[in-house]
Amino acid sequence: MKQDSIHSGRVQKAPENFLTPSGVKEVFAEGKKGRRDFIRNAFAAAAAGAAAPMALSQGNPVPSEGGDPNILNLPEHATGLGQGVAVEGYGKPSQYEANLQRRQSPGLTQTTQASVSFAPLQSLFGIVTPSGLHFERHHQGWWDIDPSKHRFMINGMVKKNMVFTMDEIMRLPSVSRFHFIECGANTATEWGNVAVPTVQYTHGMISCSEFTGVPLITLLEMAGANLKNGKFVLAEGGDGSSMTRTIPMSLITSGEVIVAYGQNGEMLRPENGYPLRLVVPGVQGVSWVKYLRRVEVGDKPYAAKDEAIHYIDLMPNGLQRQYTNIQEIKSVVTTPSGGQVLLDKGFYNITGLAWSGKGKVKRVDVSTDGGRNWRQARLETPVLSKALTRFNLNWVWDGKPAIIQSRAQDETGHVQPTYQQLRAVRGTRSIYHNNAIQSWLVQENGEVKNVQLS
Ligand SMILES: Nc1nc2c(c(=O)[nH]1)N[C@H]1C(S)=C(S)[C@@H](COP(=O)(O)O)O[C@H]1N2
Ligand SMILES: [Mo]
């Protein structure tokens, strides 16, 4: 498979170096910015158990006790006058983080107007995706819509049709909730075989934000919706893709579905549906209709094009599964992951993300020997329903080849399947809903590769 330099580059080369934020290279292998990170990591490990701090220095170059010019000599920034508020206006990341970017996948057909960009999961911490790195999926391009002209309409099985302005929506009681959104096609490239090199491309069609908005049920009640016979709503977007999706009323009456205008403390980004999008927790991304302009209450599923022809799963017997809404239990190790390089044997913090469209993640186990032995990872707080959950595990790499996997379980008892288990039920011709266990091979030279176990 062809890899360009960004995807195959070793972490040492500057522009290709999109891996260091995960700490694989710098934190322990070099004294450079190591001290503070070392202390931070030691602190985290100490909290995890008495045996952990020993593992931290096991097999590692010990951070130096002194003599490093970078600590001996006061740098200019410690003695001179810093810049004034040059960032009056909207702040930007450090110039040294220029590699932290959404990217188009080398595994997809390259078109002049790209329609998917992937989030750099290998470089993110915690559970929130910075809004500027949120993955994007547009069926007909994105727009920056004037909110003063945007309208939201409710019709169908209601007492009266209603048309809201943004001002009218934003004065209503709001909620703010953390949820993941995952495109149903996330990890699609792995159905048949390994197709792309990094976690950005295998799993980067997922993001997690704090969304703010008005529960859809509030708006439906204002319109006097028939909640007894109105079993579904149709949600329609305001772009040229005629994106319409059927949402079961049960998800709406539970109060979970939000007509959202906020994302991570500010208005939605244009790419993500500004000024209004539907948030449908646990359900695949396509139902999170952007540029939301209308919902219609009805008594049966609408069989819109994006649910009758697209977003269906081809089964081994040739039949199609439709209305496969819920994103099932899934996880992935983000460090070490494909394309990264471990510079030396010794301690590493294995870290990753787990999520379930059915509720909270209950437990994540990690294997470093291809699934023979498993150790329970630490789940970091907060562990929220239908949100990304961060897990961590201490690991001492002995320098031999290792296959790293994670296996998550949710509060409903569902466990992430292996590829063999998934394919036994679903075959290999699907595009959507691949939640199988991902394997990363750490090779003797430290390079990490995307592999599948047969
Ligand atoms: N109006 C509209 N809504 C849309 C889409 C679209 O193209 N137009 N794409 C859908 C798909 S397939 C996905 S995965 C998510 C992507 O949301 P994002 O671009 O904010 O990541 O939006 C969904 N909602
Ligand atoms: Mo999607």
Side-chain angles (χ1 to χ4, degrees), residues 102 115-117 134-142 181-186 204-207 211 235-245 263 268-273 276-278 284-293 306 311 432:
R102 298 188 274 224
S115 61
V116 193
S117 69
H134 194 291
F135 84 97
E136 300 167 79
R137 173 74 179 101
H138 319 300
H139 291 242
Q140 195 70 15
W142 61 272
I181 164 174
E182 182 182 25
C183 177
N186 200 21
M205 279 199 281
I206 188 162
S207 295
F211 291 100
E236 179 186 276
D239 54 339
S241 67
S242 313
M243 177 57 68
T244 45
R245 292 284 301 182
Q263 176 183 358
L268 290 160
R269 293 289 169 94
E271 310 91 284
N272 306 120
L276 210 57
R277 95 173 297 169
L278 203 60
Q284 61 176 328
V286 65
S287 291
W288 295 47
V289 173
K290 300 190 276 191
Y291 320 110
L292 183 69
R293 71 187 294 271
D306 284 295
Y311 295 90
Y432 304 102

